[in-house]
Amino acid sequence: MPCSLLLPSLCPWPHVLLTSPSCRRHRQCKEHVLMLPLRWSRVRLGVRMAEIARVVGVSAEGDATQARDEPRKPSQEADRWAPVEAALNWSSKWMVAGSYVFAVVWKHDVEIMWVLLGASANYLLSLILKRMLNHERPAPDLRSDPGMPSSHAQSICYASTLLVLSLYYCLGTNYLTMIVGPATLSMATYLSWLRVPRRLHTLNQVMAGAGLGSAFGALWFLLWRSLVQGTLASSLSNQIVVVLGSTASCVAVAIYVSGHWLKNE
């Protein structure tokens, strides 16, 4: 059998590449050139992501720093409202004193003298408790005397409680008392709370003064309606004693308070 017939089966020819080396190099260069934009896009994407991460990190750090600094800086609204609160805090004691003077001129009877006597006793009670408790104020450099309870809050709440109870007793429950009563108590609470942001009293000192003043005002009102009013109505001498005692105590308290207020100003 001829060898040429056996060559395809016994001696297979190796596979021959149909492309020349130059063509293969050309194809590789072409593929490399086609891959360049993809590689450059990946590089740009990586650089862009790094820049975004850096910007986000700086922004987060800035936000954290701003969040730490924000509580230390008062807001613009608080700055605008601070002078108003300071003026209200300063004028509240004079408003209470002026309301007592107006009540005396308007009523000028034994009942209003009893109210003034209670105001003097209420203020004296706050001074005694301050000396006994000897609780320091939040800013001793502003006021060096003890601060528990707050005499300011105690006096305001005493007057507001007596006023509201008298309104309900004389006029009953109607639209006027339902509006004036809560409004008066709300205003008294707000004027008492103004001592806290001014660092003249702590919140506990103000709450103690407000509670004592309200309780003392309610007790003084009940004593008048249940016991003192009937006793004074039947005895002229008792009325004279109440009027003289109230006048003397009011004059003494007024002299002491005026000197204390002017010294603190």
Side-chain angles (χ1 to χ4, degrees):
M1 180 179 294
C3 183
S4 60
L5 297 175
L6 297 175
L7 283 176
S9 59
L10 296 178
C11 301
W13 291 95
H15 296 283
V16 179
L17 294 174
L18 298 178
T19 57
S20 63
S22 61
C23 295
R24 289 197 299 270
R25 286 195 300 270
H26 178 71
R27 181 181 295 176
Q28 291 175 357
C29 294
K30 186 177 181 180
E31 292 177 355
H32 181 72
V33 172
L34 292 175
M35 290 294 292
L36 281 177
L38 182 58
R39 292 178 182 176
W40 278 109
S41 63
R42 290 178 180 176
V43 172
R44 292 188 189 125
L45 180 60
V47 173
R48 186 60 178 172
M49 292 179 66
E51 291 179 355
I52 292 174
R54 180 174 59 83
V55 171
V56 170
V58 172
S59 178
E61 183 179 357
D63 293 341
T65 305
Q66 184 178 3
R68 289 193 301 269
D69 295 340
E70 279 180 356
R72 301 177 185 177
K73 297 180 180 180
S75 61
Q76 295 181 356
E77 295 181 359
D79 291 339
R80 287 196 298 265
W81 190 246
V84 179
E85 290 184 345
L88 289 174
N89 175 68
W90 176 83
S91 61
S92 58
K93 52 180 175 286
W94 300 105
M95 288 191 295
V96 174
S99 64
Y100 284 133
V101 173
F102 175 77
V104 171
V105 174
W106 179 44
K107 287 183 66 67
H108 54 271
D109 56 3
V110 181
E111 182 178 3
I112 192 60
M113 300 307 294
W114 175 257
V115 172
L116 294 178
L117 182 62
S120 302
N122 179 62
Y123 187 78
L124 181 61
L125 176 63
S126 69
L127 294 181
I128 294 174
L129 290 176
K130 281 184 176 182
R131 296 296 183 271
M132 292 176 59
L133 299 176
N134 196 22
H135 196 276
E136 190 178 24
R137 292 176 183 262
D141 53 337
L142 297 178
R143 299 284 177 85
S144 58
D145 58 323
M148 175 67 82
S150 171
S151 301
H152 193 89
Q154 190 168 341
S155 300
I156 290 177
C157 291
Y158 165 81
S160 61
T161 302
L162 266 177
L163 176 60
V164 171
L165 292 177
S166 300
L167 283 176
Y168 278 102
Y169 182 84
C170 297
L171 303 179
T173 303
N174 51 37
Y175 289 108
L176 178 62
T177 56
M178 292 298 292
I179 294 175
V180 175
T184 302
L185 295 178
S186 300
M187 181 58 68
T189 302
Y190 175 70
L191 293 177
S192 301
W193 173 81
L194 285 178
R195 309 291 283 183
V196 178
R198 306 302 300 174
R199 300 188 64 196
L200 297 174
H201 288 287
T202 63
L203 183 60
N204 292 333
Q205 293 171 355
V206 171
M207 292 176 62
L212 285 173
S214 301
F216 194 89
L219 177 62
W220 206 251
F221 176 82
L222 291 176
L223 283 176
W224 170 257
R225 296 299 175 187
S226 61
L227 179 63
V228 178
Q229 185 178 16
T231 303
L232 295 180
S234 59
S235 175
L236 180 61
S237 59
N238 292 336
Q239 295 181 13
I240 295 175
V241 170
V242 170
V243 170
L244 292 179
S246 177
T247 303
S249 62
C250 288
V251 170
V253 170
I255 294 174
Y256 175 81
V257 170
S258 299
H260 184 68
W261 289 350
L262 294 176
K263 181 180 68 174
N264 291 330
E265 295 298 334

